Amino acid sequence: MAPPEYIPDEPLTPSGRLFLEPRMNTIIHCVLGVKNKMDVEAVKTTIKNSELLKQPRFCSLLVHDKNGFEYWRRTEVDMDKHIIVVDDKVNSSENEHEDVEKIVNDYIADLSVSSPLSSDKPLWELHVMVEKKCSIFRIHHALGDGISLMSLLMASCRTEEDPEAKPTLVAGGGGRRRGGGKGLGNVLWRSNFIMEVLKAVFFSVVFCLEFVLRCLWVCDRKTVISGGDGVEQWPRTVVTAKFLVEDMKAVKNAVANATINDVLFGVISAGLSKYLNHRSPNSLREGQQLTGLAMVNLRQQPELQDLTGKTKGNSGSKWGNKFGMFLLPSYYYKGLEPLEYVKRAQPMTNRKKNSLEAHFSYLIGDLIMHWLGPKFACMLNYRIVCNTTFTISNVIGPKEEITIAGNPITYIRVNTTSLPHALTMHMVSYAGKADMQILVAKDLIHDPEFLAKCFEESLVEMKNAAQETI
């Protein structure tokens, strides 16, 4: 695609500058599994004709001026530089009978620590594994967040039932249930709104203060799954935990007023307790806190984001990075009943959703970037990661089955490059399934397959307990 005759350089957003700092240099990996072997030429044609190349960030180089400030400069996209066929690198004879999922996950793990994106082209690329029937879409986090990436994917895909129709995302539960920080507005409509507003203000102050303290010095007690300074450079392993959305809904329905996110956080707490009880049963005390960083979409609207970057007046649909963080306390328990994990997680998640912690994290980061620059903002972000135990995110994908270049998609999985955490988890739901990619520091968490099994078994146990209550 040839660039226009003249488009002025555009400065990076504060969040874009943050993600380009060496310590926070983050790349998103979106893995698409397909039913049939991928036709590379068909994929190129699909991308050329899709709305992807209408997004300015995907047609722009990262450049620096004489003062060192970063800008986006429009350029022509050479598809041959962005489409990388990698099967010849991993399809050796000794791997011929190896599990395909393991080969793909091992390749992603290698990308997570050793393959930065080249700055001589726009900061994205597609790795196609023809024989393994999958592709890995890599975009730099400076270009956009998980919701933007999902919008990009949907723009390049079609529904399986109607080859001309674009897929849609349907987010349930509204802003309060998604944890987007809109709860303070929602509670005004309740009959006891005064008390609810006071509680929301109180918890906002408490959680925001806790967030600041975490940025400075407060940290979790060390466990066998704790990361820390420099761990982002350690070798990684990737495994996949697989869930059924139907099972998560069964658990949700068994706990009054629960949400899917409540179930997910309950599964995380139960799975980590099960794993730690196996790895180090005598080193943790009952109720010990393991704090996670939860990524929260702050856009007001759940639908797909604008790909052209032109909706500057509507922050609810603008492309880019529009997410906050909140601290997600998980606790270690021995012998707790399965549904108790969800019941104990629910009050905490409700308080988090009804607070302004996620908005506060976004706004304070933006202010620090403007006042003190990206290096100081990066230092604070790095410290809060070092002072917590894990990262968790949950992105809602399409409910219907979709295709890319006419090839049915069998799964969608997402993860990112390494953080100082030894454990990061990213879940995406698609067509009734929910796959959680688990990225671990292999020298600290030696048995990630068992950890994934702990999460899967925890949900099954919760589902069985839910059925017994009916």
Side-chain angles (χ1 to χ4, degrees):
M1 186 180 97
E5 291 184 3
Y6 174 73
I7 295 180
D9 293 347
E10 183 178 350
L12 266 68
T13 61
S15 57
R17 295 177 66 196
L18 173 65
F19 285 120
L20 287 167
E21 284 294 304
R23 278 190 160 186
M24 297 297 295
N25 193 14
T26 308
I27 299 171
I28 302 173
H29 295 146
C30 180
V31 190
L32 302 179
V34 292
K35 184 177 181 180
N36 308 307
K37 289 184 180 181
M38 301 196 76
D39 184 337
V40 177
E41 293 304 319
V43 171
K44 288 182 181 180
T45 301
T46 298
I47 294 177
K48 286 179 180 178
N49 297 330
S50 74
E51 295 182 22
L52 182 153
L53 297 186
K54 295 180 182 179
Q55 216 300 315
R57 298 292 175 269
F58 287 81
C59 307
S60 299
L61 292 174
L62 176 67
V63 297
H64 298 78
D65 66 12
K66 61 182 181 181
N67 297 317
F69 290 104
E70 302 95 340
Y71 290 85
W72 298 116
R73 178 171 297 168
R74 291 293 290 270
T75 187
E76 184 176 356
V77 175
D78 182 352
M79 294 298 297
D80 291 331
K81 289 185 177 181
H82 291 272
I83 308 297
I84 302 170
V85 180
V86 297
D87 265 315
D88 56 341
K89 301 177 183 178
V90 297
N91 192 26
S92 57
S93 58
E94 60 267 23
N95 288 334
E96 188 174 351
H97 301 292
E98 195 174 350
D99 179 60
V100 170
E101 181 174 291
K102 184 178 186 308
I103 295 174
V104 174
N105 281 341
D106 287 349
Y107 183 76
I108 298 169
D110 290 340
L111 290 177
S112 298
V113 292
S114 61
S115 298
L117 290 169
S118 174
S119 59
D120 64 355
K121 63 184 180 182
L123 297 178
W124 66 272
E125 58 191 24
L126 183 69
H127 293 228
V128 181
M129 306 180 77
V130 178
E131 298 298 326
K132 306 303 178 288
K133 299 179 182 178
C134 82
S135 61
I136 302 157
F137 194 16
R138 309 184 73 210
I139 71 167
H140 201 287
H141 219 315
L143 301 184
D145 56 20
I147 298 299
S148 294
L149 175 59
M150 189 60 67
S151 301
L152 174 73
L153 174 62
M154 297 302 100
S156 303
C157 294
R158 297 295 181 267
T159 63
E160 191 168 13
E161 290 186 355
D162 183 358
E164 300 300 321
K166 294 181 182 179
T168 57
L169 296 181
V170 181
R176 177 180 177 271
R177 289 185 176 266
R178 293 194 319 277
K182 291 173 61 181
L184 189 57
N186 290 341
V187 295
L188 293 173
W189 298 98
R190 301 178 186 177
S191 58
N192 57 341
F193 70 92
I194 296 179
M195 182 59 67
E196 292 294 332
V197 168
L198 291 176
K199 286 168 60 177
V201 171
F202 172 77
F203 284 116
S204 293
V205 173
V206 171
F207 293 150
C208 292
L209 177 61
E210 182 184 7
F211 194 90
V212 171
L213 294 178
R214 283 280 174 171
C215 290
L216 298 177
W217 70 82
V218 176
C219 62
D220 285 348
R221 292 186 178 183
K222 293 296 182 182
T223 68
V224 294
I225 62 172
S226 297
D229 189 5
V231 172
E232 70 276 8
Q233 300 176 11
W234 292 21
R236 297 281 153 164
T237 300
V238 175
V239 294
T240 307
K242 302 174 184 177
F243 309 104
L244 293 177
V245 174
E246 179 181 323
D247 291 349
M248 303 186 83
K249 288 182 177 178
V251 177
K252 176 180 77 74
N253 294 333
V255 179
N257 301 317
T259 67
I260 291 294
N261 274 338
D262 295 334
V263 176
L264 172 61
F265 299 155
V267 168
I268 296 300
S269 183
L272 289 178
S273 295
K274 189 187 294 284
Y275 178 78
L276 290 169
N277 194 46
H278 170 78
R279 277 284 306 272
S280 56
N282 299 319
S283 63
L284 283 82
R285 57 180 174 80
E286 187 79 0
Q288 181 169 328
Q289 181 172 320
L290 307 166
T291 309
L293 275 179
M295 304 298 119
V296 180
N297 174 36
L298 296 182
R299 295 175 176 87
Q300 296 179 0
Q301 303 175 11
E303 62 265 15
L304 297 178
Q305 307 308 307
D306 174 70
L307 292 178
T308 64
K310 296 179 180 178
T311 54
K312 296 182 179 178
N314 185 355
S315 61
S317 62
K318 188 180 178 183
W319 173 280
N321 286 288
K322 184 72 174 179
F323 70 93
M325 299 181 290
F326 63 65
L327 299 174
L328 176 68
S330 176
Y331 299 93
Y332 167 77
Y333 295 109
K334 288 183 179 179
L336 202 63
E337 291 296 319
L339 290 180
E340 281 298 312
Y341 287 99
V342 180
K343 293 176 181 178
R344 295 191 183 196
Q346 187 184 22
M348 178 272 298
T349 56
N350 284 339
R351 291 167 187 161
K352 293 285 182 176
K353 296 167 190 175
N354 287 335
S355 77
L356 297 177
E357 181 182 3
H359 279 290
F360 172 81
S361 70
Y362 178 82
L363 291 174
I364 197 68
D366 197 48
L367 290 174
I368 290 174
M369 285 289 297
H370 278 104
W371 292 346
L372 302 176
K375 293 189 182 300
F376 190 81
C378 176
M379 183 268 289
L380 291 180
N381 274 270
Y382 190 83
R383 286 183 65 87
I384 198 170
V385 176
C386 290
N387 290 341
T388 52
T389 300
F390 63 89
T391 300
I392 179 70
S393 72
N394 179 24
V395 176
I396 298 175
K399 291 186 176 181
E400 70 268 37
E401 293 186 349
I402 62 177
T403 65
I404 184 167
N407 200 345
I409 292 177
T410 55
Y411 63 81
I412 303 174
R413 297 169 185 164
V414 170
N415 59 33
T416 63
T417 49
S418 301
L419 294 171
H421 280 151
L423 172 63
T424 61
M425 297 166 284
H426 301 277
M427 192 171 83
V428 177
S429 61
Y430 166 60
K433 297 178 290 186
D435 288 353
M436 185 166 70
Q437 288 289 81
I438 304 171
L439 180 72
V440 305
K442 65 194 310 184
D443 293 334
L444 290 173
I445 301 177
H446 313 291
D447 48 358
E449 295 83 4
F450 177 71
L451 176 59
K453 187 178 180 182
C454 288
F455 292 132
E456 293 172 345
E457 288 180 350
S458 295
L459 179 59
V460 172
E461 291 170 0
M462 290 177 185
K463 182 193 69 172
N464 293 337
Q467 292 174 341
E468 292 175 1
T469 62
I470 298 177

